Amino acid sequence: MQLGPSTAAELAERLRLTAAAIRRHLTGLTEDGLIEAREQRVYGARGRGRPAKVYALTDLGRDSFSQDYDNLAVQALQFVADREGDAAVRAFAAGRVAAVEERYTERLAAEPDADPVEALAAALTDGGYVASTRPAAVGTQLCQHHCPVSRVAEQFPELCEVETETFARLLGVHVQRLATIAHGDGVCTTHVPHIEQPEVAASRNPSTSTDSTSTQSTSTQSTSTQSTHASNHEEGRA
């Protein structure tokens, strides 16, 4: 890595290995996608014959070294918060979850009869959250088994808050976040209550139907009384 792309012969000399041994290592690393073979760049006049192959790290190979992306993200958000305030952080969080909302909307458009919570879980999974659902006593639990930004969310809970608010808006019910990976829990868990259909709600509240029947009965009695008075009045005039 320090010396950049190198030929097999150069690597063998530096590592004090035979050419055959170094090629075995290079073959394994290439198959794993950690390095790739390229033609050696030649500056100036090129000699006879094909250029020698050099081996260089791929993006996957670079990722195997220590990274500091989480700290960089925290520093970037802290810079935004210091310059623009908490509202800017929430706006950033809303922008991130907008991708989940788009995938959710597309799924419901393709499958109108799909369960909304299942559709949301699928949209989250597509975003790397490994989500699933499980029935609860009075609703459904939406579980996210992985959070790509959990370490950043430890410092900026706005990421979780905006995500929860988006769930509630998409599902049309008040949801409750029960646990988060950012707070040390094993799974991010959100409770989603059942959404009753209008006819179900009416059957559980018979007073509405009774009131309607009573009103109709009163109206019928009033109409009957008026008819009787009108008949008596006509008889009196006769």
Side-chain angles (χ1 to χ4, degrees), residues 27-75:
T27 298
L29 293 172
T30 301
E31 291 175 350
D32 291 339
L34 299 176
I35 64 173
E36 61 182 357
R38 307 173 182 170
E39 284 192 357
Q40 187 177 34
R41 290 184 178 181
V42 177
Y43 300 94
R46 175 180 291 183
R48 294 182 179 181
R50 298 179 59 186
K53 285 186 177 181
V54 294
Y55 294 85
L57 285 172
T58 62
D59 288 339
L60 181 61
R62 292 182 183 281
D63 288 342
S64 65
F65 291 86
S66 176
Q67 305 291 349
D68 201 24
Y69 296 138
D70 288 335
N71 286 336
L72 176 62
V74 169
Q75 291 170 10

Side-chain angles (χ1 to χ4, degrees), residues 52-202:
K53 285 186 177 181
V54 294
Y55 294 85
L57 285 172
T58 62
D59 288 339
L60 181 61
R62 292 182 183 281
D63 288 342
S64 65
F65 291 86
S66 176
Q67 305 291 349
D68 201 24
Y69 296 138
D70 288 335
N71 286 336
L72 176 62
V74 169
Q75 291 170 10
L77 279 179
Q78 190 61 60
F79 179 83
V80 170
D82 293 341
R83 289 294 186 92
E84 305 295 336
D86 293 340
V89 176
R90 293 184 66 83
F92 171 81
R96 287 196 72 263
V97 79
V100 174
E101 180 174 352
E102 183 177 354
R103 289 191 294 268
Y104 169 79
T105 302
E106 290 174 352
R107 281 186 172 273
L108 282 188
E111 302 177 40
D113 296 331
D115 179 89
V117 185
E118 292 289 348
L120 181 54
L124 287 165
T125 295
D126 291 342
Y129 290 87
V130 194
S132 64
T133 64
R134 61 187 181 192
V138 288
T140 304
Q141 286 190 353
L142 176 62
C143 304
Q144 296 160 253
H145 302 275
H146 175 65
C147 178
V149 296
S150 60
R151 293 186 180 178
V152 181
E154 290 178 15
Q155 304 296 322
F156 293 91
E158 292 92 339
L159 296 177
C160 298
E161 293 168 2
V162 171
E163 186 179 82
T164 304
E165 292 167 5
T166 302
F167 292 172
R169 178 169 53 80
L170 293 178
L171 299 174
V173 293
H174 174 71
V175 304
Q176 183 179 6
R177 188 55 70 81
L178 304 178
T180 62
I181 295 174
H183 288 163
D185 300 300
V187 179
C188 293
T189 307
T190 305
H191 175 72
V192 181
H194 286 308
I195 305 173
E196 289 189 345
Q197 298 299 324
E199 59 271 17
V200 176

